[in-house]
Amino acid sequence: YDFEGCVHIFDWPNTAGIKIKRNYLDFPQKLPPPIDASKLPPMQEHLIRDGVSEESKALAQKQDIPSYLITYSCESSEYCAFQAQANYYGYLTSGQHPTRSGFLRLLTCQEPDDMASYVPTFTAPRNLYSRRYSPYNKADVMVKWFESTPNRPDNWDIIVVIDPDNWVIRDITHWIVKASEGHALGEAAW
């Protein structure tokens, strides 16, 4: 039968075998150490040239704003590697709040890849159905992240979800203070 109107997921052959591996979700995952402030790249050229808005400057001084974590989901591939690097670089150079912001790549993979030693990453194994419908990996890895007791984002007030090929170029704190529990914000697609 038609599951979503576009993909017949039950027409595929049955699984031929299963390989058992350690479950990464039951253990705290190691994040790379924070980058020392003296080794951070300079702000993006447009922020140096045009300056940071007065609103962003004022919000950067406040500590009573909600904490926020910028996340995106991806797979381990050469295609996603440049996106991971550019996305993390964008975060580091866009003037996010100095103490209330964070960044995390949500990786669909059996084990951490080489980028996980540079880019903060949570790794979750691929769901079998995601091979049949690849956009399934975003919802799947997010659910596994929230269900992974030692890794879930309990210490963040707001989770910002972006696409891996859309990185931040300016501070988003002015949007963060407008969101609240039960009142999410989103950008129009077109």
Side-chain angles (χ1 to χ4, degrees), residues 90-154:
Y91 167 76
L92 292 173
T93 61
S94 59
Q96 299 306 314
H97 195 279
T99 60
R100 305 294 289 163
S101 68
F103 184 87
L104 187 66
R105 175 177 73 138
L106 303 174
L107 179 66
T108 299
C109 193
Q110 289 301 322
E111 56 191 31
D113 62 1
D114 58 336
M115 294 300 298
S117 62
Y118 171 68
V119 178
T121 302
F122 169 79
T123 305
R126 175 182 292 282
N127 185 289
L128 295 175
Y129 289 123
S130 70
R131 294 215 186 273
R132 298 173 184 169
Y133 184 61
S134 62
Y136 187 78
N137 76 343
K138 179 182 275 188
D140 181 52
V141 74
M142 291 196 82
V143 167
K144 288 175 180 173
W145 178 43
F146 277 93
E147 289 179 346
S148 175
T149 304
N151 300 295
R152 70 174 155 227
D154 292 337

Side-chain angles (χ1 to χ4, degrees), residues 66 157-160 174-187:
D157 298 321
I158 295 176
I159 306 298
V160 179
H174 63 283
W175 289 107
I176 297 300
V177 297
K178 295 175 183 173
S180 61
E181 188 172 338
H183 296 89
L185 296 174
E187 184 64 37

Side-chain angles (χ1 to χ4, degrees), residues 5-152:
C6 61
V7 178
H8 296 279
I9 63 172
F10 297 105
D11 292 344
W12 288 54
N14 291 332
T15 303
I18 296 176
K19 186 176 185 180
I20 306 297
K21 290 188 170 187
R22 175 181 176 203
N23 186 347
Y24 282 95
L25 305 180
D26 292 336
F27 304 95
Q29 295 188 15
K30 185 178 180 185
L31 297 177
I35 298 173
D36 186 78
S38 64
K39 296 183 178 170
L40 285 174
M43 295 285 273
Q44 294 177 24
E45 181 64 32
H46 69 96
L47 295 176
I48 294 170
R49 184 183 62 244
D50 302 335
V52 178
S53 73
E54 293 302 319
E55 182 182 22
S56 289
K57 288 178 187 174
L59 288 171
Q61 302 302 317
K62 297 178 80 175
Q63 292 302 314
D64 61 343
I65 65 165
S67 62
Y68 62 98
L69 182 66
I70 299 172
T71 65
Y72 68 93
S73 67
C74 67
E75 298 176 345
S76 180
S77 68
E78 288 182 25
Y79 175 73
C80 290
F82 83 88
Q83 292 178 342
Q85 292 174 9
N87 211 313
Y88 192 44
Y89 179 81
Y91 167 76
L92 292 173
T93 61
S94 59
Q96 299 306 314
H97 195 279
T99 60
R100 305 294 289 163
S101 68
F103 184 87
L104 187 66
R105 175 177 73 138
L106 303 174
L107 179 66
T108 299
C109 193
Q110 289 301 322
E111 56 191 31
D113 62 1
D114 58 336
M115 294 300 298
S117 62
Y118 171 68
V119 178
T121 302
F122 169 79
T123 305
R126 175 182 292 282
N127 185 289
L128 295 175
Y129 289 123
S130 70
R131 294 215 186 273
R132 298 173 184 169
Y133 184 61
S134 62
Y136 187 78
N137 76 343
K138 179 182 275 188
D140 181 52
V141 74
M142 291 196 82
V143 167
K144 288 175 180 173
W145 178 43
F146 277 93
E147 289 179 346
S148 175
T149 304
N151 300 295
R152 70 174 155 227

